Amino acid sequence: MNKFLKNPLWLFLAIGVLLFTVDYFMSSAKAEKQLISLTERDIDKIIDTYAGANGVKPDSITLQKLIQLDIENRLLYDLGMELGLDKNDLLVRDRVAQLTEQYVLAGADLSDPGDDVLQLYLKENKDQFIIPAYYEFNQYFFGNDEKKASQQAFFLNSERGIEGFRNEDVPVRQKGNINRIAELFGVLFAGELNTHQANWIGVLKSNFGYHVVQVQYYSSPHDIDIKNIEERFIVLNNWRKHKQQAFLENKLDVIKSSYTIQVENFSN
């Protein structure tokens, strides 16, 4: 036995067999192919995405190219994940985090809990559920001509109607709550309008210029009524958002429990 071990030829052969065996198993491992499978649903999504961007569905040649591009993107994605490129790319990490959040939130039970639960939620968060003042009005725009706007407002108040109006100056019907009106015309316009009610006619200045405003309908701000279908939906929608957030935070707490989190000191 000792002679066998001391013989350089046999030792060389043994090393060769060992290297061949290791190389064989490594090659076999590399030969195992990963599966990339495009389902009918995947292809339908490719078609819908193309149609949404171009207005028509792709022809057979274009679809073949799109499928090939999708396969190449999957290959590059897998390679990038193997190389760990996602770990240092904030855009990739944030996108994956957003998709994961959506996946997690899909598990939240958001079925209608009933009036009793919503009424309690409304009571506990009453300050969040005040319906703002609502307006419906006609407005005639006069640009920066305040004098003409005031004159025409006087005519409208005296039931003479707006005089000398051109076709492009026809009244524009507006409606919405006071917050929406502030977004459209500015806070000064909305603030002044909020001091008036139905049947008021006058001049208001917006971010664009002067308007003659004729208020047709007004409803005052009020607390939400759970018996009103539209207002009940506002409470239900907010309850669902609250439930989703609580569900996500609970899931994150579970995930965090298996991590040790360190944040290095930093200075502003």
Side-chain angles (χ1 to χ4, degrees), residues 44-60:
D44 286 342
K45 188 174 181 180
I46 292 173
I47 294 173
D48 291 341
T49 301
Y50 180 89
N54 298 276
V56 294
K57 291 185 177 181
D59 56 35
S60 59

Side-chain angles (χ1 to χ4, degrees), residues 138-153:
N138 282 341
Q139 59 93 4
Y140 303 78
F141 182 59
F142 290 91
N144 293 320
D145 197 339
E146 182 181 11
K147 182 178 179 180
K148 185 176 180 181
S150 299
Q151 180 187 52
Q152 297 301 321

Side-chain angles (χ1 to χ4, degrees), residues 139-143 148-149 152-153 161-172 210-212:
Q139 59 93 4
Y140 303 78
F141 182 59
F142 290 91
K148 185 176 180 181
Q152 297 301 321
I162 297 288
E163 294 184 352
F165 235 48
R166 299 166 299 179
N167 289 334
E168 61 267 30
D169 297 326
V170 293
V172 177
Y210 292 94
H211 307 253
V212 172

Side-chain angles (χ1 to χ4, degrees), residues 58-214:
D59 56 35
S60 59
I61 297 176
T62 302
L63 179 57
Q64 186 176 359
K65 292 180 179 178
L66 291 173
I67 291 174
Q68 182 63 30
L69 179 61
D70 185 79
I71 293 172
E72 291 173 358
N73 285 339
R74 290 172 184 240
L75 292 170
L76 290 172
Y77 171 81
D78 287 348
L79 177 59
M81 296 298 283
E82 287 180 14
L83 296 173
L85 299 181
D86 59 306
K87 293 181 174 59
N88 296 317
D89 191 313
L90 292 178
L91 292 177
V92 173
R93 189 176 65 192
D94 289 349
R95 178 57 178 159
V96 173
Q98 290 173 3
L99 292 174
T100 306
E101 180 179 316
Q102 293 174 14
Y103 175 82
V104 171
L105 290 177
D109 181 9
L110 302 179
S111 56
D112 193 323
D115 285 356
D116 291 342
V117 173
L118 292 182
Q119 193 68 57
L120 178 61
Y121 179 73
L122 176 60
K123 182 178 179 181
E124 293 174 345
N125 301 275
K126 191 174 182 179
D127 58 328
Q128 299 178 24
F129 295 104
I130 297 176
I131 302 296
Y134 178 89
Y135 284 89
E136 293 183 10
F137 60 92
N138 282 341
Q139 59 93 4
Y140 303 78
F141 182 59
F142 290 91
N144 293 320
D145 197 339
E146 182 181 11
K147 182 178 179 180
K148 185 176 180 181
S150 299
Q151 180 187 52
Q152 297 301 321
F154 174 79
F155 290 154
L156 195 58
N157 261 312
S158 61
E159 300 183 353
R160 293 171 56 182
I162 297 288
E163 294 184 352
F165 235 48
R166 299 166 299 179
N167 289 334
E168 61 267 30
D169 297 326
V170 293
V172 177
R173 181 79 169 179
Q174 299 286 350
K175 61 181 179 180
N177 66 51
I178 199 67
N179 298 328
R180 175 58 177 160
I181 293 169
E183 292 176 1
L184 293 172
F185 296 96
V187 293
L188 295 179
F189 181 100
E192 177 62 28
L193 178 63
N194 204 26
T195 63
H196 305 290
Q197 299 182 9
N199 303 316
W200 177 81
I201 297 173
V203 177
L204 295 179
K205 186 179 182 181
S206 73
N207 294 336
F208 311 104
Y210 292 94
H211 307 253
V212 172
V213 174
Q214 183 180 28

